């Protein structure tokens, strides 16, 4: 070490010139060891500086220490110089010493823009790190920097093995997906429930251990039950893996929600929330007896869909209540179609019979006359037991034939003394002896949504 050698040569020269027996103050070399004298006595167990700056430590024999820890807090290098404001690898482990030479321990420190964690013994931590607040971080094993704004597929820390691995967390080869935020904190729920985080514009669900979950996840208790769930993509084929699904999805209902066990369609909005109707019992005045309409694109076509309280678009013949209080029907096609149908349709009703229905441009079943035929709640009213029949619709009694057509200016008698059916020029009943028939009411697939 040149700086101490120069000081020693100078001290020896001065001592020789003075020809005294006392040792000169300052640095000198004895028995190939650097020592320091002060007032003629060797300094021990203390720090001293050199002319060129820096601190050096003299042990209890007065010898300058090299490559050694001092009081398990500071460190001197091969020249005996106290290490300050720098990294130092010692026995295969990395340490960092501050400007006063103190070892960083039991805390994190930002160094050159990166954060690092140092344990109670002062060396840099890698892998999983839990801070004093119980928050988990992850430090890159290659260089120890705290991972931020990054996904990592990892094995849990040993302290995390207290939970059951056989669940809906996205595990592969014994590893789970975790996300570490810009502040290095692991995304996780605050309790045993799940918590949603917005990451790069998509939403993801994590449990209290920070594990990413896929499939159906219950985020809250809501009514109806489906409102508290979201579906997080379990394959990249249906969207970004792990992200809350947006758009149409054909899937089994959540197992624990009591919403059935068949594969059905769902639609999720831009926030991943399932579109749904409401409970019929509490919404008797709703236009659709609890359902909600939504115009959506499916398979390249825009159609109107009616969603029930389970979050599914309905199909078949349905009873609805309009805002004016009138009850009528709407038809949403087959299970494959499940969208609003317009115009005239042949529909299989709940009792298995096929009947003719007619719906207006809004999809409501017509009650009244359309194209010369009589309808009630969309269902064609026609003669059944005889060639003609009387039906009262909208307080007007009409005469119709077996095809449902309105019979105008009609008189028919079975014998010269009786006229059974009679109508005027508009098809309204005008006399006649036959009784009025009861309206043929539709047989709905489900009377309520």
């Amino acid at each position: 070490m040149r700086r101490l050698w120069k000081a020693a040569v100078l001290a020896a020269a001065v001592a020789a010139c003075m020809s005294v027996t006392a040792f000169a103050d300052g640095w000198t070399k004895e028995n190939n060891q650097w020592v320091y004298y002060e007032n003629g006595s060797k300094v021990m167990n203390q720090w001293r500086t050199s002319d060129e700056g820096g601190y050096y430590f003299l042990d209890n024999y007065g010898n300058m220490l090299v490559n050694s820890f001092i009081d398990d807090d500071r460190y001197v290098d091969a020249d005996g110089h106290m290490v300050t404001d720098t990294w130092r690898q010692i026995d295969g482990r990395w340490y960092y010493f501050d400007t006063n030479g103190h070892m960083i321990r039991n805390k994190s420190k930002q160094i050159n823009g990166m954060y690092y964690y140092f344990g109670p013994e002062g060396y840099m931590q890698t892998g999983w790190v839990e801070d004093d607040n119980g928050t988990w971080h992850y430090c890159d094993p290659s260089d120890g920097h705290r991972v931020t704004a990054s996904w990592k597929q990892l094995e849990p820390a040993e302290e995390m093995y207290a939970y059951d691995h056989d669940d809906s967390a996205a595990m592969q080869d014994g590893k789970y997906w975790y996300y570490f935020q810009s502040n290095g904190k692991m995304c996780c729920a605050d309790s045993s429930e799940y918590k949603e985080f917005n990451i790069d514009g998509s939403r993801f669900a994590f449990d209290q251990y920070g594990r990413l979950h896929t499939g159906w996840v219950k985020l809250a208790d809501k009514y109806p039950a489906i409102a508290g769930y979201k579906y997080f993509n379990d394959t990249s084929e249906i969207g970004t893996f792990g992200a809350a699904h947006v758009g149409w999805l054909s899937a089994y209902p959540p197992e624990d929600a009591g919403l059935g066990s068949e594969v059905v369609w769902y639609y999720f909005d831009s926030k991943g929330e399932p579109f749904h109707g409401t409970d019929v019992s509490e919404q008797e005045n709703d236009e659709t007896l609890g359902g909600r309409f939504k115009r959506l694109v499916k398979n390249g076509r825009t159609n109107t869909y009616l969603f029930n309280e389970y979050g599914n678009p309905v199909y078949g013949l349905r009873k609805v209540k309009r805002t004016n209080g009138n009850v009528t029907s709407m038809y949403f096609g087959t299970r494959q179609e499940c969208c609003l149908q317009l115009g005239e349709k042949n529909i299989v009703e709940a009792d298995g019979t096929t009947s003719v229905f007619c719906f207006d441009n809004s999809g409501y079943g017509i009650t009244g006359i359309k194209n010369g035929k009589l309808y009630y709640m969309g269902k064609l009213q026609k003669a059944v037991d005889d060639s003609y029949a009387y039906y009262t619709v909208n307080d007007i009694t009409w005469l119709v034939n077996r095809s449902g057509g309105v019979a105008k200016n009609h008189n028919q008698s079975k014998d010269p003394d009786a006229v059974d059916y009679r109508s005027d020029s508009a098809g309204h009943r005008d006399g006649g002896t036959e009784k009025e028939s009861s309206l043929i009411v539709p047989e709905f697939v489900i009377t309520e949504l």
Side-chain angles (χ1 to χ4, degrees):
M1 127 182 188
R2 293 180 178 177
R3 65 187 79 167
L4 295 183
W5 178 80
K6 291 178 181 179
V9 170
L10 179 59
V14 172
C17 292
M18 295 178 64
S19 298
V20 294
T21 57
F23 292 101
D25 287 350
W27 290 101
T28 188
K29 204 166 191 181
E30 294 180 354
N31 300 321
N32 206 34
Q33 294 282 344
W34 285 102
V35 297
Y36 190 89
Y37 281 90
E38 193 170 273
N39 297 324
S41 298
K42 188 182 293 185
V43 175
M44 300 178 187
N45 293 318
Q46 296 184 46
W47 291 95
R48 287 296 181 269
T49 62
S50 72
D51 294 337
E52 297 181 5
Y55 285 85
Y56 303 82
F57 190 78
L58 292 309
D59 65 13
N60 54 0
Y61 297 105
N63 298 323
M64 184 190 72
L65 289 181
V66 296
N67 295 327
S68 300
F69 281 104
I70 312 299
D71 297 329
D72 294 327
D73 185 52
R74 291 185 168 97
Y75 188 79
V76 292
D77 61 18
D79 289 333
H81 185 256
M82 182 175 69
V83 176
T84 61
D85 201 24
T86 191
W87 288 98
R88 183 67 55 171
Q89 188 177 32
I90 304 169
D91 296 331
R93 289 174 170 170
W94 285 98
Y95 298 80
Y96 192 87
F97 299 89
D98 65 17
T99 55
N100 294 316
H102 293 290
M103 177 195 303
I104 303 299
R105 67 172 81 216
N106 281 327
K107 64 179 181 180
S108 65
K109 182 174 177 61
Q110 187 179 25
I111 303 170
N112 296 328
M114 296 285 191
Y115 277 91
Y116 301 83
Y117 282 88
F118 299 88
E121 296 182 359
Y123 56 83
M124 181 188 73
Q125 306 292 295
T126 59
W128 286 105
V129 175
E130 186 178 17
D131 64 21
D132 293 338
N133 297 321
T135 301
W136 286 97
H137 304 262
Y138 190 77
C139 296
D140 195 303
S142 64
D143 61 8
H145 79 274
R146 185 180 69 184
V147 173
T148 60
S150 297
W151 286 99
K152 290 290 182 182
Q153 191 176 22
L154 305 167
E155 291 184 5
E158 291 184 5
E159 296 84 347
M160 296 178 175
Y161 272 100
Y163 53 79
D164 183 9
H165 286 214
D166 185 18
D167 56 22
S168 62
M171 183 176 68
Q172 186 177 19
D173 298 329
K175 296 181 179 180
Y176 296 102
W177 281 104
Y178 302 86
Y179 187 82
F180 299 90
Q181 303 171 71
S182 58
N183 59 5
K185 291 183 179 180
M186 176 182 70
C187 289
C188 63
D190 301 324
S191 65
S192 59
E193 301 299 325
Y194 302 96
K195 185 175 181 179
E196 190 179 43
F197 289 81
N198 192 323
I199 302 172
D200 296 330
S202 296
R203 298 166 186 269
F204 300 85
F206 300 87
D207 62 20
Q208 61 176 325
Y209 305 106
R211 302 174 299 173
L212 176 72
H213 279 251
T214 57
W216 286 108
V217 175
K218 185 179 181 180
L219 295 170
D221 286 317
K222 290 188 176 182
Y223 192 79
I226 192 64
Y229 287 83
K230 289 187 179 183
Y231 192 91
F232 295 87
N233 298 326
D234 50 9
T235 68
S236 57
E237 296 176 355
I238 59 175
T240 301
F241 179 78
H245 191 80
V246 175
W248 287 102
L249 178 69
S250 178
Y252 287 101
E255 291 184 0
D256 57 346
L259 302 179
S261 59
E262 295 184 358
V263 174
V264 285
W265 282 101
Y266 296 90
Y267 183 82
F268 302 88
D269 65 17
S270 60
K271 294 181 179 180
E273 295 177 356
F275 194 81
H276 59 84
T278 54
D279 185 358
V280 176
S281 63
E282 297 186 3
Q283 301 291 336
E284 285 297 337
N285 294 323
D286 265 13
E287 183 178 11
T288 57
L289 291 177
R292 291 173 65 201
F293 287 112
K294 193 170 184 66
R295 283 189 63 78
L296 298 167
V297 176
K298 186 179 180 184
N299 298 327
R301 299 180 62 183
T302 300
N303 290 299
T304 299
Y305 298 84
L306 180 64
F307 288 79
N308 60 21
E309 62 181 291
Y310 307 118
N312 313 129
V314 302
Y315 62 93
L317 188 65
R318 302 284 170 153
K319 181 189 290 185
V320 297
K321 183 183 287 185
R322 303 185 65 170
T323 52
N324 60 10
N326 294 335
V327 176
T328 186
S329 63
M330 301 185 91
Y331 182 57
F332 295 89
T334 63
R335 183 172 183 176
Q336 290 71 32
E337 295 168 324
C338 60
C339 62
L340 185 63
Q341 308 291 306
L342 309 177
E344 188 173 291
K345 300 287 180 182
N346 291 319
I347 298 175
V348 178
E349 299 181 67
D351 60 2
T353 61
T354 300
S355 304
V356 176
F357 283 77
C358 191
F359 304 92
D360 63 21
N361 291 335
S362 296
Y364 295 114
I366 292 172
T367 295
I369 305 297
K370 177 72 174 180
N371 296 330
K373 294 184 178 181
L374 180 65
Y375 298 89
Y376 174 69
M377 293 179 64
K379 187 171 183 176
L380 180 67
Q381 305 297 299
K382 60 184 181 179
V384 178
D385 298 326
D386 206 345
S387 298
Y388 295 89
Y390 290 121
Y391 294 105
T392 299
V393 175
N394 294 334
D395 297 325
I396 298 175
T397 302
W398 303 83
L399 178 65
V400 298
N401 57 29
R402 284 185 174 275
S403 63
V406 174
K408 301 177 181 180
N409 295 314
H410 182 76
N411 290 319
Q412 176 184 341
S413 61
K414 292 182 178 179
D415 57 66
D417 300 324
V419 176
D420 298 308
Y421 297 100
R422 176 180 290 179
S423 64
D424 61 17
S425 59
H428 302 164
R429 181 169 185 168
D430 186 20
T433 60
E434 289 296 323
K435 293 182 178 181
E436 179 182 333
S437 297
S438 298
L439 289 169
I440 307 173
V441 181
E443 292 288 338
F444 296 99
V445 175
I446 298 177
T447 57
E448 295 180 345
L449 289 174

